């Protein structure tokens, strides 16, 4: 029993998905397409924030594991089933996928497997960095978020997903430092946001032409880097990926941001 994309991703990474009796959609995003498992076959027992311990108990789980905010909503459960928070969260701030994986591993008695996965990921990052093309590192990336045809938010450099950018030598909007993990953009400042390349995390399933949308917004169209064209990517993977998704994300960052 799990919630959120990153938690599900972690269970699959540990080879324990055959132990799942149900799931909760905590993020509101589509099911992770990058997992080599039939996610839809796992019963969906709730969607954030309308989750109920009574509905979860119909699946007869031995354990409920998930993010801290979901665990706080569900527990205590009068000892009918343990509810374990696998990683701390703070509002909309995502915990590090490594912490989620270690928490899931500890809950499922798979701590060694979790540590092995992280070591393998670190080795893969080192391999990728060693093979980076000239001109890749050192660039500044502005990461916009878009949903329902609307934008207005950007990823700050403190956001957990920015870690992988930093590890391959890219900077995520240092001009937004200290404004939070996800920053509400003020129109007056958008034209002057510095960037060498702009990403748009798309949560509309490819239904929105983001370059056309931004071209019709004067503040965004006035930003030279945005006007040059944004690179549209799958927001669910780039923002919510757990351990398996992170390996795919690492390769995708190199592919779409190659100079």
């Amino acid at each position: 029993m799990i919630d959120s994309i990153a938690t599900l991703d972690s269970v699959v990474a540990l080879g324990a998905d055959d132990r799942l009796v149900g799931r909760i959609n905590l993020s509101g995003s589509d099911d992770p397409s990058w997992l080599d498992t039939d996610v839809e076959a796992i019963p969906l027992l709730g969607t954030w924030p309308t989750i109920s311990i009574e509905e979860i108990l119909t699946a007869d789980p031995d354990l409920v594991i998930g993010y801290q905010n979901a665990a706080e909503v569900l527990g205590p459960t009068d000892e009918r089933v343990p509810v374990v928070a696998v990683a701390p969260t703070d509002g909309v701030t995502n915990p590090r996928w490594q912490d989620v994986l270690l928490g899931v591993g500890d809950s499922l008695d798979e701590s060694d497997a979790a540590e092995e996965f992280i070591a393998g990921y670190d080795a893969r990052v080192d391999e990728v960095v060693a093979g980076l093309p000239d001109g890749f590192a050192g660039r500044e990336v502005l990461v916009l978020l878009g949903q329902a045809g609307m934008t207005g938010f950007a990823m700050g450099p403190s956001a957990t997903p920015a870690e992988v950018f930093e590890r391959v030598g890219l900077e995520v909007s240092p001009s937004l430092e200290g404004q939070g993990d996800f920053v509400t953009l003020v129109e007056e400042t958008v034209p002057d946001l510095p960037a060498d390349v702009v990403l748009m995390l798309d949560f509309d399933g490819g239904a929105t032409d983001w370059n056309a949308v931004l071209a019709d917004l004067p503040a965004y169209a006035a930003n030279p880097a945005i006007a040059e064209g944004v690179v549209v990517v799958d927001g669910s993977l780039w923002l919510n990926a757990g351990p398996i998704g992170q390996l795919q994300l690492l390769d995708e960052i190199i592919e779409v941001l190659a100079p």
Side-chain angles (χ1 to χ4, degrees):
M1 171 62 61
I2 50 82
D3 64 40
S4 87
I5 290 176
T7 319
L8 174 60
D9 194 324
S10 296
V11 173
V12 175
L14 296 173
D17 44 310
D18 60 343
R19 296 159 66 178
L20 292 171
V21 298
R23 62 192 172 96
I24 302 165
N25 188 329
L26 178 63
S27 69
S29 298
D30 293 336
D31 292 330
S33 59
W34 59 88
L35 294 180
D36 187 19
T37 191
D38 187 0
V39 175
E40 293 186 357
I42 306 168
L44 180 63
L45 302 175
T47 301
W48 184 266
T50 56
I51 57 178
S52 163
I53 190 63
E54 300 301 330
E55 185 170 359
I56 290 170
L57 288 172
T58 64
D60 194 26
D62 296 317
L63 177 70
V64 177
I65 57 176
Y67 280 10
Q68 178 178 318
N69 46 2
E72 289 173 349
V73 169
L74 293 174
T77 61
D78 58 42
E79 300 183 350
R80 287 176 292 178
V81 59
V83 179
V84 178
V86 297
T89 58
D90 179 17
V92 298
T93 302
N94 291 344
R96 296 173 69 247
W97 67 265
Q98 296 94 328
D99 294 333
V100 176
L101 180 61
L102 290 170
V104 172
D106 185 57
S107 299
L108 301 180
D109 295 323
E110 296 286 355
S111 296
D112 289 346
E115 292 176 359
E116 286 180 17
F117 191 102
I118 292 171
Y121 172 82
D122 289 338
R124 174 60 182 153
V125 172
D126 292 341
E127 179 184 358
V128 167
V129 170
L132 287 176
D134 292 341
F136 186 92
R139 290 177 295 164
E140 186 170 330
V141 182
L142 173 63
V143 184
L144 304 176
L145 284 71
Q147 192 168 22
M150 301 291 290
T151 189
F153 294 90
M155 182 190 296
S158 61
T160 300
E163 177 185 357
V164 64
F165 290 89
E166 295 171 4
R167 293 190 66 173
V168 297
L170 300 170
E171 292 187 275
V172 174
S173 295
S175 62
L176 301 179
E177 183 71 54
Q179 298 184 49
D181 289 358
F182 299 98
V183 181
T184 301
L185 298 177
V186 179
E187 283 196 7
E188 290 79 4
T189 66
V190 169
D192 297 321
L193 285 174
D196 296 306
V197 60
V198 183
L199 291 172
M200 171 61 78
L201 304 193
D202 171 45
F203 294 93
D204 290 350
T208 300
D209 183 344
W210 286 109
N211 278 293
V213 168
L214 296 175
D216 285 339
L217 299 174
Y220 289 84
N223 183 295
I226 295 174
E228 189 173 327
V230 302
V231 181
V232 181
V233 295
D234 177 4
S236 183
L237 172 65
W238 286 61
L239 189 60
N240 299 314
I244 294 175
Q246 288 291 331
L247 285 169
Q248 180 172 328
L249 174 58
L250 178 63
D251 290 338
E252 197 166 307
I253 284 176
I254 305 306
E255 179 182 351
V256 303
L257 296 181

